[in-house]
């Protein structure tokens, strides 16, 4: 088996002259449940494409919601510090602040809000942890809904699995008549569909898949820079207007 089957962590040491030396150590399945910043897990190209597509669609859907935060691969620090802090593929916080601020971790205590929805996309090497260990962590942390996009067979459609919290434990969700998993938290549905990602969000109001406009960016850093640029432009226009008024 490859030494770096699950992923790698960079380790920096310093010699007697103060010069840094960089090495990598292999990650274990246990690291997957409580990663450190900078850990690189090897999930595979399809996993990454699906996660990116689902995250982008959700950020597009909530782009005008000032308190909804959509996190991708961000480590969670729970209010209960005894719980391991995974970095879910996708997590949604509905009553947060600064949704477009880049984060390397999300601290529930500091933010005063917690993820109400989590989704994981399985990869062959780590799927058992998504199905069991992470499910237990999210239930204990009080995450109301947990969805899985689970591939048992790489050549088949994904299996959509959902759970909703009831009395401190997850209860499996049954698909609706159209085979979709309906999220009461998000008021959206997750459905399998043909194509590279094999899955899509559906807006229950329209019945249509959520599709971002071409060219739209979901990067928090880019969005923040764009917002600052707009603010500067407005400020400059106002200053120009006031300056013109002074000379009138």
């Amino acid at each position: 088996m490859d030494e770096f089957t699950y992923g790698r962590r960079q380790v920096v040491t310093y010699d007697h002259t103060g010069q840094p030396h960089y090495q990598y150590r292999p990650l274990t399945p246990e690291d997957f449940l409580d990663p450190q910043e900078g850990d690189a897990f090897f999930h595979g190209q399809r996993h990454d494409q699906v996660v990116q597509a689902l995250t982008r669609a959700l950020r597009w859907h909530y782009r005008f919601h000032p308190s909804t935060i959509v996190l991708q691969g961000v480590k969670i620090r729970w209010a209960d510090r005894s719980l391991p802090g995974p970095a879910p593929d996708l997590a949604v916080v509905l009553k947060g602040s600064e949704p477009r601020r880049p984060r390397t971790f999300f601290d529930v205590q500091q933010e005063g809000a917690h993820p109400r929805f989590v989704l994981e996309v399985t990869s062959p090497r780590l799927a058992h942890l998504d199905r069991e260990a992470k499910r237990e962590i999210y239930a204990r942390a009080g995450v109301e809904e947990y969805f899985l996009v689970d591939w048992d067979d790489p050549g088949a459609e994904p299996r959509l699995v959902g759970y909703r919290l009831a009395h401190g434990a997850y209860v499996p969700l049954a698909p609706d008549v159209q085979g979709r998993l309906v999220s009461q938290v998000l008021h959206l549905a997750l459905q399998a569909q043909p194509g590279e990602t094999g899955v899509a969000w559906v807006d229950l109001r329209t019945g249509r898949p959520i599709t971002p406009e071409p060219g739209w960016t979901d990067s928090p850093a880019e969005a923040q820079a764009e917002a600052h640029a707009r603010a500067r432009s407005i400020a400059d226009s106002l200053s120009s207007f006031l300056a013109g008024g002074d000379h009138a």
Side-chain angles (χ1 to χ4, degrees):
M1 181 182 286
D2 180 7
E3 181 185 12
F4 297 100
T5 295
Y6 301 106
R8 66 184 187 181
R9 174 179 297 165
Q10 187 180 75
V11 179
V12 183
T13 57
Y14 297 88
D15 62 20
H16 67 282
T17 67
Q19 292 298 312
H21 295 271
Y22 301 93
Q23 296 177 309
Y24 290 96
R25 83 156 178 85
L27 294 175
T28 68
E30 289 70 29
D31 291 321
F32 186 52
L33 302 178
D34 201 10
Q36 294 183 11
E37 184 177 347
D39 284 356
F41 292 94
F42 302 150
H43 293 289
Q45 183 177 4
R46 181 179 61 182
H47 169 278
D48 296 344
Q49 287 176 338
V50 174
V51 171
Q52 181 60 43
L54 291 176
T55 303
R56 187 169 185 269
L58 268 195
R59 286 180 176 163
W60 162 262
H61 180 72
Y62 288 118
R63 66 195 183 281
F64 299 128
H65 290 233
S67 62
T68 300
I69 304 170
V70 180
L71 302 170
Q72 178 185 326
V74 174
K75 180 181 174 65
I76 308 295
R77 294 178 180 168
W78 308 108
D80 180 353
R81 299 302 204 202
S82 68
L83 283 176
D89 288 328
L90 194 158
V92 181
V93 180
L94 295 181
K95 293 184 179 179
S97 60
E98 299 181 279
R100 304 296 278 173
R101 174 165 58 87
R103 291 169 168 87
T104 56
F105 64 89
F106 186 92
D107 190 309
V108 169
Q109 289 184 352
Q110 291 180 4
E111 299 270 0
H114 70 280
R116 294 181 57 192
F117 177 93
V118 163
L119 179 145
E120 299 281 10
V121 178
T122 65
S123 54
R125 296 169 180 171
L126 296 163
H128 63 290
L129 295 174
D130 287 322
R131 295 170 185 151
E132 298 172 13
K134 281 193 175 182
R135 185 180 66 189
E136 180 181 348
I137 292 169
Y138 297 143
R140 290 177 58 193
V143 177
E144 294 171 49
E145 290 180 338
Y146 178 39
F147 280 20
L148 275 168
V149 179
D150 196 356
W151 266 283
D152 289 324
D153 179 356
E157 284 189 352
R159 186 167 61 99
L160 305 183
V161 182
Y163 301 94
R164 187 168 294 131
L165 200 62
H167 307 293
Y170 277 137
V171 176
L173 294 177
D176 68 5
V177 294
Q178 299 180 53
R180 308 175 304 184
L181 282 181
V182 175
S183 167
Q184 291 182 359
V185 170
L186 305 181
H187 303 292
L188 301 173
L190 191 68
Q191 74 173 18
Q193 68 170 18
E196 283 188 359
T197 59
V199 65
W201 292 112
V202 174
D203 188 334
L204 293 174
R205 295 171 302 173
T206 65
R208 296 187 219 169
I210 297 172
T211 307
E213 290 180 355
W216 179 79
T217 177
D218 67 334
S219 164
E222 290 182 30
Q224 188 177 51
E226 182 181 346
H228 288 163
R230 285 199 303 268
R232 284 197 303 270
S233 177
I234 293 171
D236 290 345
S237 297
L238 181 60
S239 296
S240 178
F241 174 77
L242 292 176
D246 289 342
H247 293 293

